[in-house]
Each structure stands twice: as structure tokens, then as C-alpha cells.
Amino acid sequence: MTDVILETRNLKKSFGKLEVLGAFAFSGTKLTTVTLPASFSSLYYTYVWDVLDTKGRVKETRQREVQSYGDGAFANIPTLTAILVGNNVVNIGASRDGVLYGKAVNGSVLLQYPAGRDGKSYAAAEGTVRIGNSAFEGVGVLEEISFPYTVSVIGSYAFYKSTVTHYTFNSVEAPVLLSSYVDPATVKD
């Protein structure tokens, strides 16, 4: 397994083995490129914990699947130009021209578009079925995006504070737009 490599303009740093990235883990940092390692091998992580009885003995073991790529983990980073996927990372999906995609049962999910990527237009890859939460958050150059006919869901805050103004949907039906409630009193610009 390789380590996760995070790069900024003056630093190349390894943070060791990686299996889970929390929501907005590196949001707003000054990363320039990211290479996800082989240890980051799935969109879901099996979280296992023990439930103890009153004497501190293991009463039962529980587990649940949690999303391993947190919403917007690399969102709103104007210096980030590429998110790469290292060798042997087969279940997470792929990096397509520096844009991170994950595998879904019926296609792929666009997880994160690097906010510092060049280009005024972008076409999501064929077979994309979902645009992830905060996938284009903070993108500052992109103006238009085209979605293949397969996109059926656009996640919460997918285009929050982005410069995208033109959207082309190549489907018969508009995708479902997900939303989350945010208390305006807690939002800081």
C-alpha cells in the first residue's frame, strides 16, 4: 500500500494509510494535487464497535457501513488542480482528467471537481448517475457544465459558491435536486 500524498506549492506530505476522509476534511486548504492511495479502496467503510455490559465485557459487536469519502472533502480549494487515484484503487472509481469519480451500482458518481482546475466548460463523464454533495463547491473558473442523460440526482450544495452559470441536461427528465437545511444564523462568509 502507498501513503496518501497531499501536495501544496512548497510541500509534499504523506499522511500515511487512508481509509476514510471526513466531510470537508481539507476544505479551504492550499493543496495543489492529491493522490489517493490503494488503502482508500472503497466508497464505503465498515465501522465496527463493541457494546459492553455493565462489567465492561463485550456484550455484542455491531457494525455499519459509513461513506468513506465525506462530502466536499476537497471542496473550496482554489489551488487544487487535480485529484488523482493511485495504482490498485479499483473500487473507489477513477480520476478522469483530475476529477474524482466513484463507482455506483448503476454507473459512477462525480465526487469532486478540483476548484482550481482550468477550463471554462466541463462535460461530466458518460455513465455518471449522480453529482455528489459539494462536488463543485467553490469552483472559480468553470462557467458551463453538461450532464449526460444518465444523471438522475444532484447532491446538496453541489454548486455552492461556484461560478457555473450554464447547465445543460441531456436527459428527458430533470434530475432530482437534494437539499439540506442550514440555519442562516450559522452561515459565515
Side-chain angles (χ1 to χ4, degrees):
M1 282 201 242
T2 57
D3 293 343
V4 63
I5 306 296
L6 302 174
E7 295 182 37
T8 63
R9 294 192 197 287
N10 301 317
L11 171 73
K12 184 172 183 177
K13 176 74 175 156
S14 172
F15 285 87
K17 309 299 182 244
L18 176 74
E19 293 182 14
V20 178
L21 266 172
F24 304 101
F26 294 96
S27 180
T29 63
K30 297 196 184 306
L31 295 172
T32 56
T33 60
V34 172
T35 303
L36 296 175
S39 60
F40 193 72
S41 60
S42 177
L43 279 180
Y44 294 94
Y45 175 77
T46 303
Y47 179 67
V48 180
W49 72 97
D50 292 327
V51 177
L52 305 178
D53 65 14
T54 56
K55 295 183 180 180
R57 297 176 297 210
V58 175
K59 182 171 137 181
E60 67 179 299
T61 300
R62 293 185 181 174
Q63 69 180 35
R64 72 175 178 167
E65 297 285 307
V66 295
Q67 188 174 330
S68 59
Y69 184 84
D71 297 341
F74 296 108
N76 198 28
I77 305 173
T79 54
L80 185 63
T81 58
I83 303 170
L84 307 173
V85 176
N87 296 334
N88 303 319
V89 182
V90 293
N91 292 324
I92 187 70
S95 175
R96 298 178 185 165
D97 295 325
V99 178
L100 183 62
Y101 284 83
K103 286 186 179 179
V105 174
N106 54 346
S108 59
V109 178
L110 192 158
L111 295 171
Q112 196 78 61
Y113 182 95
R117 188 173 189 268
D118 286 334
K120 297 219 179 260
S121 65
Y122 181 73
E126 288 298 320
T128 301
V129 295
R130 178 186 171 104
I131 306 300
N133 296 344
S134 299
F136 290 85
E137 183 174 329
V139 169
V141 176
L142 188 66
E143 293 176 359
E144 24 179 300
I145 184 164
S146 173
F147 300 102
Y149 73 94
T150 51
V151 170
S152 60
V153 177
I154 296 179
S156 295
Y157 298 97
F159 295 93
Y160 182 67
K161 291 191 175 183
S162 80
T163 55
V164 179
T165 56
H166 294 87
Y167 305 86
T168 303
F169 298 95
N170 293 302
S171 58
V172 175
E173 294 182 19
V176 173
L177 301 175
L178 301 180
S179 65
S180 300
Y181 174 75
V182 175
D183 182 355
T186 64
V187 177
K188 297 176 185 171
D189 282 333

